[in-house]
């Protein structure tokens, strides 16, 4: 053991032990057992290299060469590296379906179905009734048809993929007619014109940004027309002198000229949200009933399920989608289907949905309950941030998010944190400290205030939130 070095003074490069010798030391054995020789050797090499550099700078303290000190540095490095990157956070942004935070939070039934599907083989493409080969879509096709009134359904990776598949399978090398008012960008570089080009479709724009009429579509229909497309302008609204053609009118036109109508509904609600005093969003069933031949929508927006793109509609068209080679490339995995099945099943009991489906439960939380929660949590947060900040309760407004109903707001409550003395960077520091908690807390800074909207902090998670407050280092 070379651990007899003088505790004062500095150590030299010659005092640094070799990697091989260190690997045999008692202090290293736990690390070797956990992380294996390859990783530990690698970590030791780079740490000793660093010690050598500080020795040459005359800044190496002898205590840094103790076996235990070296082992503890390595342990910290391994712990930091093992910390998961995809961490659970508290979404206190006020946006319920936050794309950057993973959109819909899944109900427990879906969580346990996913866990089961990971642990054991599942009947993914296996028909248990006949013992023959099955198709993965059939796991959810029946319930989707039941809930929407569609003849057939298929599932792909997300709604962007659903739109790409519809266009590729039904309109490649032909024309698709879309209103100029619906040539939207969703974010994350999903733009309708780009996806048309990608699908090898010729986009025929009709009407103007604010006004499009049925005659505009009618005049554009020609021998190369493959599809009339309606895109739900989910993430923006235009007010004033506007006109657009509804699905019913477009479907009449499509039928008379034998051109199918596809609607990209975006959020695609399966139930009428006004039942819970939420803003009106067209449902998939209504859109089919109005005459759309195909409707596509996301699984993880208002539907409250896993990321997926669902397409429902006419059986002959869905059959074409299923046969297209892109379907194979865009298909969903078993974990998605495992999560989707119980979520869809919940819609069979709409009167219980607001209790069972996490997304809807969050969207329908009563403002008074959130307000009471703000009053309850204020003292804990005040204590955690210290007297450099003042925490008060605040009346806020949440939004649905993911482009759904962008102008509608849900009355909410939360906490407002303001520095007592205007110090530069104080709020940013606090925001960072909240992000560094074991379960990071994500709020939003505006008007020199950090806002924490409590709509998405369910009461069952309140104690976890309070418990980690003491670890805050503002
Ligand atoms: C969100 C959205 C999409 C993209 O859906 P993803 O599931 O995110 O791929 C496409 N179209 C509309 C109208 C949307 O709102």
């Amino acid at each position: 053991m070379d651990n007899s070095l003088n505790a004062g003074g500095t150590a030299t490069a010659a005092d640094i032990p070799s990697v091989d010798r260190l690997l045999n030391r008692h202090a290293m054995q736990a690390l070797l057992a956990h992380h294996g020789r390859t990783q530990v050797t690698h970590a030791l090499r780079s740490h000793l290299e660093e010690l050598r550099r500080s020795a040459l700078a005359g800044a190496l303290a002898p205590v840094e060469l103790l076996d235990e000190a070296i082992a503890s540095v390595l342990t910290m490095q391994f712990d930091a590296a093992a910390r998961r990157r995809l961490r659970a956070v508290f979404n206190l942004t006020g946006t319920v379906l936050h794309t950057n935070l993973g959109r819909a939070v899944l109900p427990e039934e879906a969580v346990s179905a996913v866990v089961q599907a990971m642990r054991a083989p599942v009947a993914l493409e296996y028909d248990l009734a006949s013992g023959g080969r099955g198709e993965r879509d059939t796991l959810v096709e029946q319930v989707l048809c039941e809930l929407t009134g569609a003849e057939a359904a298929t599932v792909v990776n997300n709604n962007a993929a659903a739109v790409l598949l519809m266009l590729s399978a039904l309109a490649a090398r032909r024309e698709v007619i879309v209103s100029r008012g619906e040539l939207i960008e969703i974010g994350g570089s999903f733009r309708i014109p780009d996806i048309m080009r990608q699908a090898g479709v010729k986009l025929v724009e009709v009407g103007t940004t604010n006004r499009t009429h049925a005659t505009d579509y009618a005049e554009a229909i020609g021998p190369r027309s493959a599809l009339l497309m309606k895109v739900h302008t989910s993430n923006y609204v235009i007010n004033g002198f506007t006109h657009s053609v509804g699905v019913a009118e477009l479907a009449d036109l499509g039928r008379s000229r034998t051109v199918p109508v596809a609607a990209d509904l975006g959020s695609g609600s399966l139930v009428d949200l006004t039942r819970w005093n939420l803003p009106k969003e067209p449902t998939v069933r209504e859109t089919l009933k109005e005459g759309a031949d195909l409707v596509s929508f996301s699984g993880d927006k208002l539907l409250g399920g896993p990321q997926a793109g669902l397409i429902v509609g006419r059986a002959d068209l869905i059959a074409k989608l299923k046969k297209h080679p892109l379907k194979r490339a865009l298909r969903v995995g078993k974990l998605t289907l495992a999560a989707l099945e119980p979520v869809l099943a919940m819609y069979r009991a709409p009167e219980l949905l607001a209790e069972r489906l996490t997304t809807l439960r969050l969207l329908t939380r009563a403002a008074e309950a959130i307000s009471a929660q703000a009053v309850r949590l204020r003292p804990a947060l005040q204590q955690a941030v210290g007297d450099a900040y003042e925490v008060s309760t605040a009346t806020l407004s949440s939004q649905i998010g993911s482009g759904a109903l962008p102008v509608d707001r849900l009355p909410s409550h939360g906490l407002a944190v303001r520095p007592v003395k205007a110090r530069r960077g104080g709020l940013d520091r606090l925001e960072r400290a909240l992000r560094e908690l074991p379960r990071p807390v994500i709020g939003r800074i505006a008007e020199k205030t950090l806002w924490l909207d409590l709509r998405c902090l369910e009461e069952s998670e309140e104690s976890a939130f309070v418990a980690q407050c003491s670890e805050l280092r503002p």
Side-chain angles (χ1 to χ4, degrees):
M1 303 278 280
D2 297 338
N3 293 343
S4 53
L5 291 164
N6 194 340
T10 58
T12 69
D15 299 323
I16 298 174
S18 75
V19 171
D20 285 343
R21 281 175 64 193
L22 276 168
L23 283 171
N24 291 323
R25 296 282 166 76
H26 177 73
M28 298 297 155
Q29 299 317 304
L31 282 167
L32 283 166
H34 265 94
H35 305 289
R37 201 175 174 87
T38 313
Q39 282 200 101
V40 175
T41 306
H42 187 77
L44 266 179
R45 268 211 195 100
S46 57
H47 182 50
L48 295 188
E49 192 48 50
E50 222 165 89
L51 294 181
R52 204 160 290 125
R53 269 196 297 273
S54 56
L56 293 177
L60 179 62
V63 288
E64 292 181 73
L65 294 179
L66 296 176
D67 291 355
E68 290 69 24
I70 292 174
S72 123
V73 168
L74 262 56
T75 301
M76 272 190 312
Q77 286 174 357
F78 280 119
D79 286 353
R83 221 162 130 183
R84 251 184 275 158
R85 308 277 303 263
L86 188 60
R87 308 244 297 281
V89 303
F90 284 108
N91 171 14
L92 304 190
T93 60
T95 301
V96 177
L97 295 167
H98 199 301
T99 296
N100 306 139
L101 302 180
R103 292 193 184 158
V105 170
L106 294 175
E108 214 43 56
E109 288 84 343
V111 173
S112 57
V114 171
V115 170
Q116 240 181 53
M118 287 192 287
R119 285 225 174 95
V122 285
L124 179 63
E125 292 184 345
Y126 185 83
D127 182 7
L128 289 170
S130 69
R133 194 180 140 71
E135 208 197 308
R136 64 181 67 198
D137 277 358
T138 54
L139 293 168
V140 291
E141 186 163 16
Q142 196 193 337
V143 64
L144 273 171
C145 291
E146 181 190 317
L147 296 171
T148 62
E151 292 172 6
T154 188
V155 190
V156 288
N157 181 57
N158 56 21
N159 190 32
V163 174
L164 179 64
L165 178 61
M166 290 196 292
L167 294 172
S168 306
L170 305 176
R173 292 180 297 281
R174 294 168 70 206
E175 296 174 353
V176 174
I177 304 171
V178 189
S179 161
R180 287 200 170 87
E182 296 172 11
L183 294 176
I184 55 168
E185 171 180 314
I186 305 294
S189 66
F190 176 85
R191 287 176 160 184
I192 292 292
D194 295 344
I195 219 142
M196 295 256 176
R197 201 170 311 117
Q198 198 61 46
V201 165
K202 176 155 190 281
L203 166 65
V204 177
E205 306 174 18
V206 296
T208 59
T209 304
N210 58 330
R211 288 173 74 85
T212 301
H213 306 275
T215 51
D216 295 324
Y217 288 96
E219 283 163 15
I221 295 179
R224 299 182 57 74
S225 303
L227 211 56
L228 300 175
M229 180 139 179
K230 181 90 192 145
V231 183
H232 189 46
T233 53
S234 40
N235 57 1
Y236 86 113
V237 284
I238 46 174
N239 287 313
F241 188 55
T242 63
H243 188 265
S244 66
V245 180
V247 171
E249 205 179 347
L250 206 56
D252 280 345
L253 176 64
R255 254 193 309 280
S256 73
R257 307 285 293 270
T258 59
V259 183
V261 173
D264 168 11
L265 266 196
S267 275
S269 188
L270 290 177
V271 277
D272 184 358
L273 297 175
T274 58
R275 171 183 193 137
W276 295 281
N277 294 321
L278 288 168
K280 172 79 192 161
E281 177 82 353
T283 69
V284 179
R285 180 182 283 278
E286 281 162 10
T287 310
L288 285 172
K289 206 163 178 186
E290 284 174 15
D293 297 287
L294 286 180
V295 177
S296 80
F297 50 104
S298 293
D300 55 354
K301 294 186 181 172
L302 282 174
L303 195 141
Q307 178 187 303
L310 307 161
I311 312 171
V312 297
R314 250 168 63 188
D316 60 326
L317 299 178
I318 295 285
K320 280 189 185 168
L321 303 189
K322 287 183 176 177
K323 277 209 285 286
H324 194 274
L326 259 186
K327 169 68 197 334
R328 172 63 179 81
L330 302 174
R331 76 179 184 192
V332 289
K334 62 180 176 180
L335 303 185
T336 301
L337 286 163
L340 194 54
E341 194 183 2
V343 168
L344 290 174
M346 284 180 184
Y347 280 89
R348 286 180 168 143
E351 52 288 313
L352 304 175
L353 205 57
E355 190 45 48
R356 292 181 175 169
L357 187 69
T358 315
T359 298
L360 194 59
R361 193 166 63 234
L362 295 175
L363 290 174
T364 55
R365 277 189 75 192
E368 306 80 63
I370 309 174
S371 166
Q373 190 179 26
V375 172
R376 269 199 307 280
L377 293 181
R378 197 202 61 77
L381 189 65
Q382 178 66 76
Q383 192 179 5
V385 298
D387 44 14
Y389 298 92
E390 193 202 327
V391 182
S392 53
T393 59
T395 299
L396 301 171
S397 52
S398 321
Q399 49 183 328
I400 296 176
S402 280
L405 307 154
V407 286
D408 291 291
R409 289 288 183 273
L410 311 172
S412 188
H413 292 271
L415 298 168
V417 191
R418 298 181 182 87
V420 171
K421 279 197 280 272
R423 279 184 308 158
R424 267 231 310 214
L427 265 187
D428 291 336
R429 226 184 0 264
L430 177 63
E431 194 217 15
R432 189 166 346 109
L434 285 164
R435 275 189 278 116
E436 284 167 357
L437 285 167
R439 180 166 167 187
V441 173
I442 316 291
R444 137 190 103 76
I445 292 181
E447 298 144 25
K448 296 186 176 143
T449 305
L450 176 71
W451 306 95
L452 303 175
D453 186 316
L454 295 175
R455 171 171 296 280
C456 294
L457 183 69
E458 291 213 85
E459 280 166 31
S460 58
E461 295 191 310
E462 224 178 278
S463 57
F465 177 83
V466 173
Q468 71 164 10
C469 273
S470 60
E471 296 183 43
L472 189 70
R473 301 282 170 269

